[in-house]
Amino acid sequence: MRFAKLNRRQALFATALVGTAGLMDMKSVLGAVPQRVKTPPLTTAEIAAIESALGKKGMYHEDQAVHSTSLPRNDLKISVKGEPVPIPFGFGGWVAIKKTTDGKSAVLMSDTVLLQEEVNPLISAAQTSGLEVSALHNHFFYEEPRIFYMHLHGIGAPADLAKRYAAAVKDSMLYPGNQHKTAGTPQQPGNELFDIAKLDALVKEHGTVNGPTYKYTVGRDNLKVMAMGADMTTAMGLNSWASLAGSQEKAHIAGDIAMLEHEVNPVINTLRENNLEVVAVHNHMLGDEPRIFFLHYYGQGPATQLAQGFRAALDILGQQKTNSMKKH
């Protein structure tokens, strides 16, 4: 966790408070809780224009002033380590739009799920539409077919951003109008496959059922991260998550941990100690302040064991920076 720099008087005052009171939380003395500037909301007309351009109804997160649209790749059939896994396990893209804190513009963030041969055509289409590529990477090992994830961003008026994004993806399977509804055998929902109460108690969070999966999404409310003048929040992609597929006894877990630079290797160590595989470490955004890194992990085993590993990684986040580099 990043603490504000204190001058000598503030440091002495903080030390005195801690020394005399003994019970006061040092983080509150140092002002660790970020002060956010309220983001102007998207109007009803702006939301309607976004949904019209994308051809799909999305979700408006009023508390974050973010409109998001899910873009699952329901056209794909994917296996991991030779076992079929559902699309909600980690193969659903999204696009989100919110205004800058001054209300003069808006920012678009997107994560796209792509086959190898789809990557460069989308890069060209996005740049033609005035959007930028902010990251390109894997999220998995062992998946068939091979999947890549490309993050796009842009700045402009909300309706214009949605139109530019729609133009970029219109010839791809990302565009909602190009997707077809799967009419396969109904799958058992996640709340029947997993002991939800037991998992929630271990993770200390409440997840959501998405088809045959159960997913935790945990924001970084202890941080104020700005990019292109917008406050990056959970619905804009600043979050850690864990998705469970399979069954309580034999589960797959995949997820992402959002970290400050000094948290990266402690999280890596913790995941490995919990027998979870680290599959990628990278950025998702450009121009973010403070800089955020994202780590993807994967594991197999009893769901409770996998959930404990995710919780252990979350417990690293927010710890004060220490010099963990070994001297040679």
Side-chain angles (χ1 to χ4, degrees):
M1 182 176 292
R2 178 173 290 189
F3 294 104
K5 292 183 178 180
L6 304 180
N7 60 35
R8 185 172 182 274
R9 177 177 292 182
Q10 290 170 326
L12 289 172
F13 175 64
T15 303
L17 281 176
V18 173
T20 56
L23 299 176
M24 184 173 288
D25 183 353
M26 185 63 174
K27 289 188 290 185
S28 65
V29 174
L30 296 176
V33 178
Q35 297 298 312
R36 309 193 106 88
V37 177
K38 187 174 178 61
T39 298
L42 291 166
T43 67
T44 302
E46 287 169 333
I47 292 172
I50 292 170
E51 295 181 343
S52 176
L54 295 175
K56 183 178 181 179
K57 186 172 179 59
M59 177 180 292
Y60 186 59
H61 306 266
E62 189 172 358
D63 59 327
Q64 301 173 55
V66 176
H67 182 276
S68 64
T69 307
S70 61
L71 303 171
R73 287 299 302 266
N74 292 324
D75 59 297
L76 299 176
K77 294 186 182 300
I78 299 173
S79 64
V80 175
K81 286 195 170 181
E83 296 182 8
V85 291
I87 294 304
F89 181 54
F91 305 97
W94 52 269
V95 57
I97 295 174
K98 77 180 299 185
K99 290 185 178 177
T100 54
T101 53
D102 63 10
K104 295 179 180 179
S105 192
V107 167
L108 176 146
M109 292 282 181
S110 175
D111 190 6
T112 58
V113 179
L114 303 167
L115 296 170
Q116 297 178 80
E117 61 269 22
E118 297 171 334
V119 171
N120 279 282
L122 182 58
I123 289 175
S124 296
Q127 293 187 327
T128 297
S129 296
L131 301 175
E132 294 185 327
V133 176
S134 58
L136 173 63
H137 46 241
N138 65 298
H139 283 191
F140 285 89
F141 291 157
Y142 320 115
E143 84 277 17
E144 290 290 340
R146 192 81 195 277
I147 301 294
F148 286 86
Y149 296 76
M150 187 161 72
H151 292 259
L152 301 174
H153 72 195
I155 188 165
D160 181 57
L161 283 172
K163 289 177 182 177
R164 285 155 55 192
Y165 187 85
V169 302
K170 68 178 181 180
D171 294 327
S172 75
M173 293 304 294
L174 296 167
Y175 188 67
N178 295 337
Q179 279 285 327
H180 51 81
K181 292 184 178 180
T182 54
T185 304
Q187 294 177 298
Q188 198 173 357
N191 58 319
E192 295 179 7
L193 293 166
F194 298 103
D195 187 335
I196 300 302
K198 184 177 288 186
L199 294 176
D200 286 356
L202 288 169
V203 178
K204 301 176 185 176
E205 300 282 349
H206 294 291
T208 56
V209 175
N210 189 356
T213 68
Y214 191 59
K215 183 178 182 179
Y216 294 98
T217 304
V218 183
R220 289 298 306 255
D221 294 338
N222 64 313
L223 299 177
K224 180 182 178 182
V225 178
M226 300 293 293
M228 296 184 289
D231 185 11
M232 295 295 104
T233 53
T234 303
M236 289 293 280
L238 180 60
N239 60 70
S240 300
W241 58 271
S243 183
L244 290 154
S247 66
Q248 186 74 11
E249 296 74 27
K250 186 181 178 183
H252 298 264
I253 192 171
D256 199 357
I257 307 292
M259 310 161 294
L260 293 170
E261 183 176 350
H262 74 270
E263 296 168 339
V264 172
N265 277 281
V267 166
I268 288 173
N269 292 336
T270 298
L271 290 170
R272 294 303 301 130
E273 287 172 356
N274 284 273
N275 204 33
L276 294 175
E277 294 188 62
V278 176
V279 300
V281 180
H282 47 234
N283 64 289
H284 285 180
M285 299 177 278
L286 297 177
D288 45 327
E289 178 57 42
R291 194 88 166 102
I292 300 294
F293 294 85
F294 294 83
L295 179 151
H296 289 268
Y297 62 91
Y298 171 79
Q300 281 183 302
T304 51
Q305 179 182 314
L306 301 176
Q308 286 173 334
F310 176 57
R311 180 66 250 180
L314 291 180
D315 287 339
I316 298 296
L317 306 181
Q319 293 186 14
Q320 189 170 5
K321 182 177 180 179
T322 58
N323 185 9
S324 60
M325 296 294 290
K326 294 180 180 179
K327 294 181 179 180
H328 297 281

